[in-house]
Amino acid sequence: MMTENILITSVGKRVSLVRIFQEALRKLSLQAKVYTTDMKPEMAPAGFVSDGCFKVPRVTDDNYINRLIDICCTNNIGLIIPTIDTELTLLAENKSLLREKGVEVVVSSTDFVCACRDKRKTSVLFQQLDICIPEIRDKYHPKFPLFAKPYDGSLSKDIYVIRNIEELTPEIMQHPKLIFMEYIDKTQYKEFTVDMYYGKDNKVKAIIPRERVEIRAGEINKGYTRKNYLVSFLKERMNYIPGVVGCICMQLFYNEMMHKVFGIEINPRFGGGYPLSYYAGANFPEYLLREYFLNESLSYTDGWKDNTLMLRYDSEVIVYEEEGVRF
């Protein structure tokens, strides 16, 4: 069956995600391609794995959306999959414009994206969803230990655990974007990322908690899927959220003995650790293709495998000189 193509933006190192989309197309016998974009296609490993990688300017460039539209029109793109936080607001704001060009962007509403991008607003959102958050602390009257992070940060940059007054340095005190909160003791709470898929009807279709055993550069490096209390806890509170579509991943701390949950942040996109959920049987790319290309309606499913372990390792994409000319 012929269909439109897929474009994964800001693809970088997301080799697994590209291959998973390609496999989903093969599984459904859809004769489509998976294209990608990057600021430096010649240095993007996932670009070489895709069916073609196109150079784009920085997302803050005034010409970014026009360049994206040009790529879509020239290459019969029907579906855009964003992957980085910094492009989500812009794509949400231009969702209608792209739809007029025949392109669906799998991004949630501007209001939801903005609430996720600003962790001060995320805290309000968690409270509206009846999910506890760490206690907000006053840096001028500190109660240790403290945890500090930028309200618009990502990739675990500029985060601090502050255990005493000596560690509350002028650099931290004067940082304009840091928010301060109670530190959650990791000896009592396990850290989870939860992959959730929302259909076109803004209802959740799958909830997969992933226990983060080891983290590298802000992403899970070793972890397990856990079919635990978090599934029912989140389904009860987040079964329907207006404007939410596609994959979101949220970070939580969970105390199994007390069934105590703290919400930390929500990323309204595919997370870097999504392949673990995929190999456990939660095939979000297939869900997207069934909804957006085959016009199917999805039901909620919990048919993924519990206690699936992912151990990540480094691999290579080798490019010989003559292959580089496609960029």
Side-chain angles (χ1 to χ4, degrees):
M1 180 186 295
M2 292 296 295
T3 190
E4 296 169 309
N5 298 315
I6 296 168
L7 185 69
I8 301 177
T9 58
S10 305
V11 71
K13 300 177 181 179
R14 295 168 181 81
V15 171
S16 292
L17 187 63
V18 170
R19 287 176 170 162
I20 287 169
F21 268 95
Q22 290 171 331
E23 179 57 32
L25 288 167
R26 284 191 289 269
K27 180 180 178 181
L28 296 175
S29 299
L30 296 173
Q31 302 301 313
K33 294 182 178 181
V34 179
Y35 292 114
T36 54
T37 70
D38 200 87
M39 286 176 56
K40 295 182 178 180
E42 71 279 5
M43 292 296 175
F48 286 94
V49 174
S50 72
D51 295 296
C53 188
F54 305 102
K55 184 177 178 64
V56 292
R58 191 175 297 276
V59 69
T60 52
D61 190 291
D62 291 341
N63 197 46
Y64 182 81
I65 289 295
N66 289 333
R67 172 61 176 147
L68 212 57
I69 290 173
D70 179 61
I71 291 169
C72 291
C73 292
T74 305
N75 297 278
N76 191 32
I77 303 298
L79 198 64
I80 293 178
I81 310 296
T83 65
I84 62 170
D85 294 328
T86 52
E87 66 187 342
L88 295 176
T89 303
L90 181 64
L91 289 175
E93 291 172 346
N94 286 276
K95 193 170 183 176
S96 295
L97 174 62
L98 284 154
R99 184 174 290 147
E100 290 173 5
K101 305 293 183 181
V103 183
E104 284 290 336
V105 186
V106 185
V107 65
S108 297
S109 67
T110 303
D111 287 346
F112 184 77
V113 169
C114 289
C116 297
R117 290 289 295 127
D118 186 330
K119 293 177 177 59
R120 298 167 299 185
K121 295 179 179 179
T122 311
S123 295
V124 174
L125 176 59
F126 275 130
Q127 291 172 309
Q128 292 171 343
L129 294 170
D130 192 27
I131 298 174
C132 292
I133 60 170
E135 180 183 301
I136 302 300
R137 296 280 171 84
D138 181 356
K139 65 181 179 181
Y140 297 108
H141 301 89
K143 179 181 177 183
F144 299 105
L146 289 173
F147 182 77
K149 62 181 179 181
Y151 63 77
D152 62 350
S154 61
L155 300 176
S156 297
K157 293 181 179 179
D158 290 337
I159 62 172
Y160 303 92
V161 177
I162 307 154
R163 301 187 183 278
N164 52 58
I165 193 66
E166 287 77 20
E167 293 180 358
L168 198 56
T169 63
E171 177 190 6
I172 293 174
M173 290 291 287
Q174 295 166 16
H175 194 301
K177 292 188 175 183
L178 289 183
I179 54 176
F180 295 79
M181 62 193 71
E182 68 173 301
Y183 174 72
I184 305 300
D185 189 346
K186 293 184 180 181
T187 65
Q188 298 182 37
Y189 287 81
K190 291 182 177 180
E191 189 173 0
F192 277 82
T193 297
V194 185
D195 287 325
M196 304 176 71
Y197 182 89
Y198 280 82
K200 288 182 177 181
D201 58 3
N202 309 137
K203 291 183 179 180
V204 72
K205 308 300 179 183
I207 302 172
I208 305 91
R210 298 187 273 109
E211 182 182 346
R212 295 163 65 126
V213 176
E214 181 178 289
I215 301 166
R216 183 173 69 173
E219 290 186 1
I220 185 172
N221 199 43
K222 298 177 182 178
Y224 293 89
T225 56
R226 300 296 195 195
K227 196 172 286 190
N228 58 16
Y229 168 76
L230 290 174
V231 176
S232 59
F233 175 87
L234 294 173
K235 193 170 190 302
E236 178 182 346
R237 290 160 175 78
M238 300 179 67
N239 185 59
Y240 170 77
I241 305 179
V244 179
V245 293
C247 181
I248 71 170
C249 62
M250 58 192 307
Q251 291 185 16
L252 306 169
F253 281 103
Y254 172 48
N255 182 299
E256 294 177 298
M257 295 294 293
M258 298 186 294
H259 282 338
K260 180 74 173 179
V261 180
F262 284 109
I264 304 300
E265 63 181 63
I266 304 174
N267 298 302
R269 54 168 172 77
F270 277 95
Y274 166 71
L276 172 53
S277 293
Y278 169 78
Y279 286 109
N283 194 337
F284 290 5
E286 182 180 333
Y287 301 167
L288 286 166
L289 296 179
R290 290 189 179 278
E291 279 203 291
Y292 290 88
F293 283 177
L294 301 179
N295 296 313
E296 296 181 9
S297 296
L298 302 179
S299 300
Y300 178 81
T301 177
D302 62 357
W304 49 275
K305 295 179 181 178
D306 193 12
N307 299 321
T308 302
L309 170 65
M310 179 174 72
L311 303 172
R312 289 183 131 171
Y313 64 96
D314 292 330
S315 189
E316 302 80 29
V317 171
I318 305 300
V319 182
Y320 294 100
E321 184 177 7
E322 59 271 19
E323 295 182 48
V325 298
R326 69 184 179 123
F327 298 115

